């Protein structure tokens, strides 16, 4: 029985910051942003969007009535959780009007959370073939104004429907995973922003990829040439290329050309959105599917997932017949095209508009947020969500 991705989509908020303008405001050479890390625009979430609303918005256009009835497991991977106890998936379950006889949970392991959810979903469908599982990765990457990490911020969510007989990608059983207790990126419960050792994190990302790739070759006796493309977790678009560079010379120049071009296409959405943590790998998958017109059924795609701290995984999937009919390139591009550019002063003002941390009642005006699902305030320590 084939199991895998039947539908996949993303959502990003209605505002962005131009990276050239941000560089000028910070007295930095714009090439350090546009070339150095490979970023053109940075998605910015208004206070009306959080991990719950973005995930729900990503899934909203993805699901039909049959999906809503068949989904009996909802998994949210996030490191931007809104509650230390209640899973964000519970709110999403209500906002999407899903089958009440369902499990709703939240998974945390840095940027690896959505991959953990997808692998759990795959095993669940193997045991419950008539079920469908909704997996989402939703995050706000936030480091602070005029900080070293400011240029690698972003916001967005992906939604993935896992089923039997998938129409987009059938997932293979070639998973290799790796855990190491390292401190490259973490966020203590008392902090609103992460603690980052950027150089060390990059080194560990590459080392984890090299280690996993070597083990994958040992276990499954395959070559880089067996893959049409490799999609990577992208905290910034140059990160995956650094890992790919460590193995690219193992194949012919023709294979190198194909893999590098497909890598470039897989980064196009990330260049416009920035880092979305748990959703970043799957945003690169969507970007590849939406932009590479030469992909065909039977093509094998590799996926490298990395979550700081650290857990990583490599696995693969095969494109299915007529998969092009089930991707939404036009809808995704329309979402990006309709965004509003913020001036640097507007961005800085909005950045400082934060929710209270003491449970104070707050009402939020949402008229400038065109999203279908928004946060409208806090009442008695409870977030108030509205589906327009």
């Amino acid at each position: 029985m084939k199991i895998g991705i039947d539908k996949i989509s993303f959502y990003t908020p209605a505002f962005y910051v131009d990276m050239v303008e941000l560089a000028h405001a910070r007295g930095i050479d714009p090439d350090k942003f546009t070339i150095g890390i490979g970023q053109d625009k940075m998605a910015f979430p208004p206070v009306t969007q959080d991990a719950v609303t973005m995930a729900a918005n990503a899934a909203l256009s993805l699901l039909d009535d049959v999906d809503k009835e068949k989904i009996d497991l909802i998994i949210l991977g996030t490191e931007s959780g809104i509650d230390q106890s209640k899973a964000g998936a519970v709110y999403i379950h209500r906002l999407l009007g899903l089958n009440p006889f369902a499990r709703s949970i939240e998974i945390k392991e840095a940027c690896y959370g959505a991959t953990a959810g997808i692998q759990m979903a795959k095993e669940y469908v193997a045991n419950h073939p008539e079920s469908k599982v909704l997996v989402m990765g939703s995050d706000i990457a936030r480091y602070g104004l005029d900080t070293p990490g400011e240029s690698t911020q972003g916001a967005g969510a992906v939604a993935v429907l896992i089923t039997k007989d998938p129409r987009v990608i059938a997932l293979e059983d070639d998973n290799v995973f790796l855990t190491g207790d390292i401190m490259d990126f973490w966020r203590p419960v008392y902090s609103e922003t992460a603690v980052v050792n950027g150089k060390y994190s990059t080194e560990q990302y590459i080392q984890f990829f090299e280690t996993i790739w070597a083990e994958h070759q040992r276990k499954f006796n395959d070559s880089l040439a067996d893959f049409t493309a490799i999609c990577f977790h992208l905290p910034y678009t140059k990160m995956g290329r650094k890992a790919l560079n460590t193995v690219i010379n193992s194949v012919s120049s023709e294979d190198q050309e194909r893999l590098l071009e497909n890598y470039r296409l897989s980064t196009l959405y990330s260049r416009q959105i920035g880092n979305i943590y748990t959703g970043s790998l799957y945003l690169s998958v969507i970007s590849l599917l939406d932009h590479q017109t030469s992909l065909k059924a039977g093509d094998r795609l590799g996926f490298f997932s990395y979550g700081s701290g650290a857990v990583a995984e490599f696995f693969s999937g095969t494109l299915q017949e007529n998969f092009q009919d089930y991707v939404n390139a036009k809808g995704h591009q329309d979402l990006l095209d309709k965004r509003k550019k913020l001036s640097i002063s507007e961005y800085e003002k909005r950045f400082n508009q934060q929710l209270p941390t003491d449970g104070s009642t707050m009402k939020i005006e949402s008229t400038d947020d065109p999203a279908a699902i928004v946060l409208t305030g806090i009442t008695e320590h409870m977030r108030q969500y509205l589906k327009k």
Side-chain angles (χ1 to χ4, degrees):
M1 178 174 62
K2 292 183 179 180
I3 300 172
I5 298 173
D6 189 60
K7 298 179 180 180
I8 184 169
S9 189
F10 77 83
Y11 168 81
T12 192
F15 304 96
Y16 73 91
V17 176
D18 181 273
M19 298 303 289
V20 172
E21 294 181 5
L22 181 63
H24 287 314
R26 301 293 182 250
I28 295 172
D29 181 352
D31 286 352
K32 290 187 176 181
F33 292 167
T34 59
I35 299 174
I37 63 171
Q39 201 66 43
D40 296 319
K41 298 176 181 178
M42 179 177 74
F44 179 80
V47 72
T48 46
Q49 292 296 318
D50 63 13
V52 166
T53 60
M54 292 191 302
N57 282 312
L60 189 62
S61 61
L62 199 69
L63 307 179
D64 58 30
D65 289 341
V66 174
D67 296 330
K68 292 178 181 180
E69 180 61 31
K70 290 286 188 179
I71 291 170
D72 57 7
L73 176 57
I74 303 99
I75 303 173
L76 173 65
T78 186
E79 52 184 289
S80 308
I82 65 164
D83 191 282
Q84 296 276 39
S85 178
K86 183 175 179 177
V90 174
Y91 299 95
I92 295 166
H93 174 273
R94 172 180 62 82
L95 290 165
L96 297 178
L98 302 181
N99 164 33
F101 298 101
R103 293 185 175 116
S104 300
I105 61 173
E106 184 173 311
I107 291 179
K108 178 181 71 178
E109 181 10 58
C111 300
Y112 174 76
T115 296
I118 286 172
Q119 299 305 333
M120 180 182 295
K122 179 185 170 188
E123 294 180 9
Y124 182 82
V125 172
N127 290 317
H128 306 85
E130 299 310 311
S131 293
K132 299 184 178 187
V133 182
L134 175 62
V135 181
M136 295 154 291
S138 180
D139 277 297
I140 297 171
R142 179 182 171 90
Y143 298 109
L145 299 175
D146 202 11
T147 63
E150 183 180 26
S151 60
T152 61
Q153 297 179 136
V158 296
V160 181
L161 190 66
I162 302 295
T163 70
K164 71 172 184 179
D165 301 323
R167 292 173 289 185
V168 179
I169 298 173
L171 296 175
E172 306 296 333
D173 295 321
D174 62 342
N175 307 63
V176 175
F177 24 83
L178 180 67
T179 291
D181 185 3
I182 62 172
M183 302 301 286
D184 60 330
F185 174 105
W186 69 102
R187 184 170 70 82
V189 293
Y190 51 79
S191 176
E192 290 298 313
T193 56
V195 181
V196 186
N197 186 336
K199 184 175 183 294
Y200 179 60
S201 189
T202 297
E203 292 169 349
Q204 290 300 306
Y205 176 105
I206 295 170
Q207 182 178 321
F208 268 63
F209 173 73
E210 290 180 293
T211 302
I212 282 181
W213 176 247
E215 179 67 5
H216 193 275
Q217 288 184 295
R218 188 191 70 79
K219 290 183 70 173
F220 300 103
N221 194 32
D222 53 13
S223 160
L224 198 62
D226 296 324
F227 295 87
T228 301
I230 307 290
C231 294
F232 289 83
H233 164 59
L234 298 174
Y236 55 90
T237 63
K238 286 296 184 70
M239 179 75 101
R241 177 63 188 272
K242 292 178 180 181
L244 183 58
N245 283 347
T246 65
V247 297
I248 195 69
N249 289 330
S250 66
V251 295
S252 69
S253 58
E254 181 181 356
D255 287 328
Q256 290 184 37
E257 183 178 350
R258 181 191 71 252
L259 289 164
L260 291 173
E261 173 60 8
N262 284 338
Y263 176 79
R264 183 187 70 83
L265 295 174
S266 77
T267 69
L268 294 181
Y269 284 152
S270 293
R271 291 191 70 98
Q272 303 297 310
I273 293 171
N275 193 358
I276 61 170
Y277 289 163
T278 51
S280 293
L281 166 59
Y282 302 98
L283 184 63
S284 74
V285 175
I286 296 170
S287 185
L288 177 67
L289 296 179
D290 284 0
H291 292 101
Q292 180 52 282
T293 57
S294 68
L295 291 174
K296 61 186 183 302
D299 282 347
R300 187 182 181 197
L301 308 181
F303 310 107
F304 177 64
S305 182
Y306 178 84
S308 291
V311 177
E313 184 162 347
F314 186 90
F315 59 104
S316 71
T318 305
L319 291 174
Q320 301 301 288
E321 291 289 344
N322 302 314
F323 74 90
Q324 300 93 336
D325 296 340
Y326 304 100
V327 298
N328 187 21
K330 183 179 184 303
H332 294 146
Q333 192 58 53
D334 285 348
L335 178 66
L336 294 175
D337 290 344
K338 291 177 180 177
R339 294 185 298 172
K340 175 186 175 183
K341 183 175 74 170
L342 298 176
S343 68
I344 301 304
S345 61
E346 289 174 321
Y347 153 65
E348 291 175 343
K349 180 180 179 181
R350 285 176 176 268
F351 192 96
N352 290 318
Q353 294 174 343
Q354 295 301 307
L355 299 173
T357 57
D358 60 358
S360 301
T361 295
M362 179 182 183
K363 290 186 178 180
I364 305 170
E365 179 58 57
S366 62
T367 54
D368 71 342
D369 186 347
I373 297 173
V374 295
L375 174 67
T376 60
I378 297 177
T379 303
E380 295 181 348
H381 300 276
M382 295 179 287
R383 294 198 181 202
Q384 305 298 308
Y385 294 108
L386 173 67
K387 181 179 178 183
K388 297 178 183 177

